[in-house]
């Protein structure tokens, strides 16, 4: 497209030179002044056609803001145009009015290359003023030469009409080129954004995967050290658990790299209960869709309209699973909690739509811990920021802050209709890849005892 437009503009002055020369070549055989003036006008028109090629090229580059206006070359083209118009007026005065129509075509042929170049290099206002001056100068020169009113007005009008056509043709062609350039630029930006988005996804998933697992490994290792110092045989069991979590982390990191990793709400709830109880945190989970454990059948605040008959969409389960995972990490890192409650229930949005609501509340939060958990500007953590990025495409919201009685509360709400393309598939693939782990963590959570 760009190559076609460029060469069309380059060829246009030469095409018009041959089409609009009219009877001027017939004057080349004349003797004396008339023949010399005909040669001069035709030669100057050819010079302008030659100068039009670099001027048009510079004009296109100027429109792309790659180069400045070549004022020197433009001044040279102006001199050639003025000289050609002067030669045409002199030739008309020499041969007389019968060749008036020939002068009109020759005048427009003489100004066309200059007009094409100026349409790219000058603003519309400057172009209009310049060509109004050219038309007025042509009108004045013909009037001084004693030509009739028709010749005077017709020649000036022909020059102005050709300038307007040149402006429209060039500007419309360049407009199409600009649209094409912007489209190419947008594709490049889109490619860069896709790379940046993938980097953010990888960083967010790596933080979510390794954050909790490393916190659990640190907790289990510390517990194993204390048990080993007391000579307790349970130390070996804790270190075996550390080994299992490390191997699980390896698998999850590989899933992150492949881009097919998901999170399941029920699995994450079982894991959170197991980890928090190991940290001596009284963990209560109120999840009507649970596995039948002692917390699983509690009333999680559903509105009674349909209950759990249809289950949660895969995208909602996955998103809430990430919220549980990050909330558990925050409890372990930023709080000295004695109790933690996780409630999953139904709610109503402002527009009346059904939503899934997850509330995670814990005590033992200091001012520093509250700031770190909330992910404020002074905090180094990015977990809650990543959660908001996960929930936003699903139309979900995330709120974190102080709760009642000196507690810290994390609340996520998602519309039940949220299931963008591909999310459910990734969640299913992730769950299928972790069925063994789900069973182990579910059994571990049930073996931990009631709360």
């Amino acid at each position: 497209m760009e190559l076609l437009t460029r060469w069309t503009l380059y060829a246009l002055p030469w095409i018009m030179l041959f089409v609009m020369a009219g009877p001027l070549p017939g004057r080349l055989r004349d003797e004396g002044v008339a023949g010399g003036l005909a040669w001069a006008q035709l030669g100057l028109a050819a010079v302008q056609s030659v100068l039009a090629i670099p001027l048009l090229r510079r004009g296109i580059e100027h429109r792309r803001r790659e180069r400045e206006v070549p004022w020197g070359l433009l001044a040279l083209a102006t001199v050639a145009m003025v000289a050609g118009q002067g030669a045409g007026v002199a030739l008309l005065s020499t041969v007389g009015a019968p060749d008036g129509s020939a002068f009109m075509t020759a005048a427009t042929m003489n100004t066309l290359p200059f007009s094409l170049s100026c349409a790219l290099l000058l603003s519309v206002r400057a172009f209009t003023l310049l060509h109004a001056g050219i038309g007025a100068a042509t009108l004045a020169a013909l009037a001084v030469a004693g030509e009739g009113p028709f010749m005077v007005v017709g020649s000036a009008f022909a020059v102005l009409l050709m300038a307007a056509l040149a402006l429209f043709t060039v500007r419309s062609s360049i407009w199409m080129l600009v649209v094409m350039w912007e489209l190419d630029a947008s594709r490049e930006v889109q490619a860069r954004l896709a790379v940046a988005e993938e980097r953010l996804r990888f960083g967010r998933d790596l933080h979510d995967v390794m954050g909790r697992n490393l916190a659990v490994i640190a907790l289990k290792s510390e517990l194993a050290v204390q048990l080993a110092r007391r000579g307790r045989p349970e130390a070996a069991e804790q270190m075996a658990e550390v080994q299992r979590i490390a191997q699980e982390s390896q698998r999850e990191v590989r899933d992150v790299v492949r881009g097919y990793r998901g999170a399941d709400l029920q699995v994450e709830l079982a894991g959170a209960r197991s980890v928090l109880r190991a940290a001596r945190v009284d963990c209560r989970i109120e999840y009507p869709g649970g596995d039948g454990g002692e917390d699983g059948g509690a009333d999680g605040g559903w509105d009674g309209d349909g209950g759990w008959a249809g289950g949660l969409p895969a995208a909602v389960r996955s998103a809430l699973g990430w919220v549980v995972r990050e909330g558990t990490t925050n409890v372990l890192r930023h709080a000295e909690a004695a109790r933690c409650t996780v409630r999953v229930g139904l709610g109503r949005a402002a527009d009346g739509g059904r939503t899934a609501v997850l509330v995670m509340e814990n005590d033992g939060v200091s001012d520093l811990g509250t700031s770190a958990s909330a992910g404020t500007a002074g905090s180094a953590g990015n977990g809650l920021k990543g959660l908001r990025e996960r929930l936003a495409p699903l139309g979900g919201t995330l709120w974190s802050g102080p709760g009642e009685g000196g507690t810290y509360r994390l609340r996520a709400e998602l519309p039940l209709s949220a299931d963008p393309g591909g999310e459910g598939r990734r969640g299913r693939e992730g769950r299928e890849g972790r069925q063994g782990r789900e069973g182990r963590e579910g059994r571990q959570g049930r073996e931990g005892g009631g709360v």
Side-chain angles (χ1 to χ4, degrees), residues 384-447:
L384 297 187
K385 178 181 177 182
L387 282 181
R388 290 187 177 94
E389 292 175 356
R390 288 183 184 276
L391 299 182
L394 302 174
T397 58
L398 184 73
W399 180 88
S400 61
E404 298 178 357
T407 61
Y408 175 79
R409 179 174 295 176
L410 179 66
R411 185 180 189 275
E413 184 172 8
L414 284 160
L416 293 182
S417 58
D419 193 6
E423 188 68 27
R425 184 182 65 255
R426 289 195 296 271
R428 287 191 298 271
E429 291 175 351
R431 289 193 303 277
E432 290 170 359
R434 296 193 306 278
Q435 285 178 351
R437 179 165 67 89
E438 177 180 351
R440 288 195 300 271
E441 292 190 351
R443 289 192 299 274
Q444 181 184 7
R446 288 192 294 270
E447 291 168 0

Side-chain angles (χ1 to χ4, degrees), residues 9-322:
L9 292 177
Y10 295 160
L12 190 57
W14 294 98
I15 295 173
M16 300 305 291
L17 176 62
F18 289 104
V19 171
M20 303 186 68
L24 187 60
R27 291 293 180 181
L28 300 179
R29 292 188 294 269
D30 291 350
E31 299 291 339
V33 177
L37 291 173
W39 276 105
Q41 188 176 16
L42 193 60
L44 288 169
V47 168
Q48 284 202 79
S49 298
V50 172
L51 292 175
I53 295 177
L55 283 172
L56 288 169
R57 185 176 66 252
R58 299 284 186 87
I60 293 174
E61 294 170 353
H62 174 67
R63 287 292 159 184
R64 299 191 69 169
R65 295 178 176 83
E66 295 177 354
R67 302 190 68 167
E68 298 294 330
V69 176
W71 295 110
L73 196 60
L74 187 60
L76 182 60
T78 304
V79 171
M81 185 273 299
V82 172
Q85 288 294 83
V89 173
L91 179 61
L92 182 60
S93 300
T94 301
V95 300
D99 276 350
S101 60
F103 171 77
M104 290 184 187
T105 56
T108 54
M109 171 198 69
N110 184 66
T111 57
L112 178 63
F114 180 76
S115 300
L116 291 174
S117 304
C118 290
L120 285 176
L121 296 169
L122 302 179
S123 64
V124 176
R125 182 174 181 273
F127 179 91
T128 303
L129 293 176
L130 177 61
H131 283 79
I134 294 173
T138 302
L139 188 147
L142 291 174
V144 170
E147 300 298 332
F150 174 77
M151 179 61 60
V152 171
V153 176
S155 298
F157 178 76
V159 170
L160 295 177
L161 179 61
M162 186 56 63
L165 290 175
L167 179 65
F168 174 77
T169 301
V170 172
R171 286 300 181 99
S172 59
S173 300
I174 293 302
W175 177 81
M176 288 188 292
L177 282 183
V178 168
V179 171
M180 186 186 68
W181 294 333
E182 291 179 352
L183 179 60
D184 291 340
S186 66
R187 287 174 178 171
E188 294 178 2
V189 171
Q190 185 178 12
R192 290 196 295 269
L193 288 176
V195 173
E197 183 179 358
E198 182 63 16
R199 288 174 178 170
L200 289 174
R201 181 201 66 82
F202 184 82
R204 182 175 63 242
D205 285 2
L206 196 61
H207 171 274
D208 294 343
V209 168
M210 301 305 296
R212 191 200 70 167
N213 288 356
L214 290 176
V216 174
I217 288 173
L219 175 66
K220 296 280 187 181
S221 300
E222 181 181 359
L223 180 59
V225 169
Q226 294 177 1
L227 292 174
R229 287 175 179 173
R230 298 173 185 174
R232 300 283 296 275
E234 292 88 348
E237 297 178 2
Q238 294 298 326
M239 290 309 300
E241 184 69 12
V242 168
Q243 182 183 18
R244 184 191 69 80
I245 295 174
Q247 293 172 348
E248 178 184 315
S249 299
Q250 288 180 331
R251 290 194 300 270
E252 291 185 344
V253 168
R254 286 194 293 267
D255 290 340
V256 168
V257 173
R258 288 196 300 266
Y260 292 108
R261 188 177 185 281
D264 184 75
L265 178 58
Q266 188 166 334
V267 173
E268 297 300 334
L269 286 172
R273 177 169 49 191
S274 174
V275 169
L276 291 175
R277 286 177 175 174
R280 296 193 174 98
V281 178
D282 182 9
C283 180
R284 176 173 293 275
I285 296 177
E286 300 175 2
Y287 177 43
D291 55 9
E294 58 188 284
D295 301 54
D299 182 9
W302 294 92
D303 60 3
D305 185 11
W308 287 91
L312 292 176
V316 175
R317 288 199 304 269
S318 178
L320 293 181
W322 286 114

